[in-house]
Amino acid sequence: MRSQAVDHIALLPLYAAAGTAVLALLADLFAGRRPVTVAVTLLGALATAVCAFAVVPANPTFCATGGCSWVPTSSAAVAAALFAVLTAGVLAFSMPALRLGAAPAGEYCFLLACSMTGGVTVSYAGDLLTLIVGLETLTLPLYVLAGLRRFAPTERPSTRPAEAAVTFFLISVVSTAIALLGIALNYAATGTVHLALLGPAPVPFAALAGVGAALLVIGLAFKVAAVPLHAWAPSTYDGAPIPIAAYLSTASKLGGVLALAAIVARLDTGAVLSALAVLTMTVGNLVALRQSRMVRLLAWSSVAQAGYILAALAMGATGVPAALAYAAFFVVLELVAFGVVVALRPATLPASAGQSGGTSADFDGGTFGDYRGAARRHPWLGAAFVLAFAGLAGLPPGLAGLFAKVSVVEALVAEGWIWLAAVVVVNAVIALAYYVRVAALLYTVPAQPGIAVTDPALVYDATHPRLPVSRPVAAALLAATVVAAILGFAPQLLFDALT
C-alpha cells in the first residue's frame, strides 16, 4: 500500500481556488464594497492560475493501492489555469450588471469562485469519485447564477430565468444519477475507481463493465450538452444573464470534456461516443440554421462544437489530445463571442428605477436584427466578433479553429474512422451558413429606414452616438481577443501544452 501522506504543495491550486471563495465572502462582510469584493476575486483567480503552473513538478497525492486521487500534470495545470482565466473574464463581463445591483456582489463572486474550485478539482482528479465531486461543485453554483436575472431591476418581469435554472437543475440531477449508476456498475465489475487502474474487466463481468461505461459516458454527456441531453442548453443560455451563459458555454463544457477524456482514455466507449457525436453535431448545426436570437444561436453552435469534440473522443486514448486542444480553442473563441454580446448589449437601469432612462438590466442577447450594422458603430467589437465566428467556423483569420478541426479529422482518418471524419467535414460546411450570415449582418446597413428591430439603438445610424462600452468588459474582451488571435497564428503552442 502506498503512503497516505498529503502533499500540500500539489494541492496549492485547490487551496487558492477555495480560498478565493472564502475571501470573497469575507471581503463582502467586512468591507461591504463591491469593488473590493470583485478585486479580491479577480486576484484569487490569478493566484489560482499561477499556483497551477507553479506545482507542475509536484508528486501525486491521496494515493493508495496503486492509484492516486490527485494527479498534477502539465495538462492539468493548463486546464486549471483556463478555469481561472474564464472565471476572471466572466466576472469582468458581469461588472456592469453588478454595478446596477442585478445581484449581490459578495454572493455572486462566491458562487463563481466555488464553480472555479470545482473546475480545478476536475482538472486534477485521479479517480471517478473525485471527478464527480468536482463536476458537481462546478455545476451547483450555476443553478443559482442562471436564475439571477429574475431578480434584476427591470420594467418587464420575466419567468424565463427561473425556468432556465429549474430546467438546468432537473436535467443535471438526472444525468448525475445516471453517471453515478455507471460508476457503481463499473466498480462492481472492476473493483476500482482510480483512473490509473481502469481497464477491461474480467471476462465474467465484461458485460456489466460495458453497461457501466456506457451509462457513465451518457451521464457526463449532459455537461457538454450532447444530444439527447442537450435540451437544457438553449433555454438556459437564453434565460440566464449573458455572462453566466458564457460561463456555462465555456467553463462548464470544459469540465465535461475533461471528465469524458479521462474515461474514454481507459474504457472502450467508441460505439456510444460515435453515435452521440453524429447526433450532436448534426442536430446542433441544423437547428442553429433556424435561429433568430443571438444567444440561442451561440447555444446551438456550442452543441454542434461539442459534437466535433465527441468525434475525437470516440477514438479513445488516441483522440484525447485532439479533443482537449479543440476544447481549449473553442472556449477561448466562445468567450470572445459572448464578450462582444455583453459589450453590444449594455445594461442600464430602467427609467422607473430612478435613472435617466435607458435599457433594462434584464436585457438578454437580443435578435439578429439588433446587431445589424453594429460593426460600423463599433469596428473593433465587430472585428472581435468576426474573429470568433471565423475561428468557430474554421475560416481565416481564425486559424485556431481550422487547426482544431484539421487535427480532429486527421486523427480520425489515421485511426480508420473515415466515415466519422466525413460527417465532421459535412457538418463544418453546414455551419458556415449561419456563421457567415451573422458576420455579414454586423456590417449590413438597413436598406430601408423603417426596418423592424427590437432595439433600434443598436442599429447603425450615422447620426446616433456610439454606445459606451464598460471598461472592465472592454479590457476582458481585448485580452480574450488577443489570446484568440495569438492562438490563431500559433495554435501548436496550446496543442503542445495540452499533450
Side-chain angles (χ1 to χ4, degrees), residues 14-310:
L14 180 63
Y15 292 156
T20 300
V22 175
L23 289 176
L25 279 183
L26 293 177
D28 184 60
L29 176 64
F30 292 106
R33 298 178 58 193
R34 173 183 46 78
V36 175
T37 304
V38 172
V40 166
T41 309
L42 288 174
L43 290 175
L46 177 61
T48 301
V50 171
C51 289
F53 288 112
V55 302
V56 170
N59 296 317
T61 189
F62 298 125
C63 298
T65 61
C68 298
S69 296
W70 191 266
V71 185
T73 61
S74 59
S75 59
V78 173
L82 267 177
F83 280 112
V85 170
L86 292 172
T87 301
V90 167
L91 183 56
F93 292 159
S94 305
M95 289 185 67
L98 292 177
R99 189 179 298 116
L100 298 174
E107 288 85 339
Y108 192 91
C109 292
F110 170 74
L111 291 171
L112 267 183
C114 286
S115 192
M116 176 178 67
T117 304
V120 171
T121 303
V122 171
S123 302
Y124 290 93
D127 65 66
L128 294 175
L129 296 180
T130 304
L131 200 62
I132 290 295
V133 169
L135 278 174
E136 291 308 300
T137 306
L138 170 64
T139 305
L140 281 172
L142 300 179
Y143 302 151
V144 180
L145 292 171
L148 284 180
R149 261 181 53 204
R150 181 169 181 263
F151 306 102
T154 176
E155 292 176 336
R156 301 182 302 278
S158 172
T159 60
R160 279 200 309 160
E163 294 171 356
V166 171
T167 301
F168 185 28
F169 171 74
L170 291 177
I171 299 182
S172 179
V173 168
V174 173
S175 67
T176 301
I178 294 173
L180 288 173
L181 177 59
I183 291 175
L185 294 178
N186 192 77
Y187 178 75
T190 63
T192 184
V193 293
H194 285 102
L195 297 175
L197 302 179
L198 287 182
V203 175
F205 305 105
L208 182 63
V211 173
L215 289 176
L216 181 55
V217 166
I218 292 172
L220 294 178
F222 160 82
K223 305 299 182 183
V224 298
V227 176
L229 295 174
H230 68 289
W232 65 273
S235 59
T236 300
Y237 287 20
D238 202 26
I242 300 176
I244 299 306
Y247 202 76
L248 284 167
S249 185
T250 55
S252 180
K253 186 155 293 189
L254 179 61
V257 171
L258 291 173
L260 282 171
I263 301 302
V264 304
R266 296 165 178 88
L267 300 178
D268 183 12
T269 58
V272 176
L273 278 175
S274 60
L276 289 177
V278 172
L279 287 173
T280 300
M281 70 178 81
T282 304
V283 171
N285 280 322
L286 292 179
V287 179
L289 292 172
R290 303 283 297 172
Q291 299 306 304
S292 60
R293 298 183 62 80
M294 185 61 72
V295 171
R296 281 188 172 269
L297 173 74
L298 292 174
W300 284 107
S301 166
S302 72
V303 170
Q305 299 289 339
Y308 305 140
I309 297 172
L310 293 177

Side-chain angles (χ1 to χ4, degrees), residues 385-408:
F385 219 174
V386 170
L387 175 66
F389 279 151
L392 293 172
L395 295 174
L399 296 181
L402 177 61
F403 176 84
K405 284 184 171 60
V406 169
S407 297
V408 170

Side-chain angles (χ1 to χ4, degrees), residues 389-390 393 395 431-442:
F389 279 151
L395 295 174
L432 293 178
Y434 56 83
Y435 286 128
V436 174
R437 172 192 174 195
V438 177
L441 192 69
L442 296 171

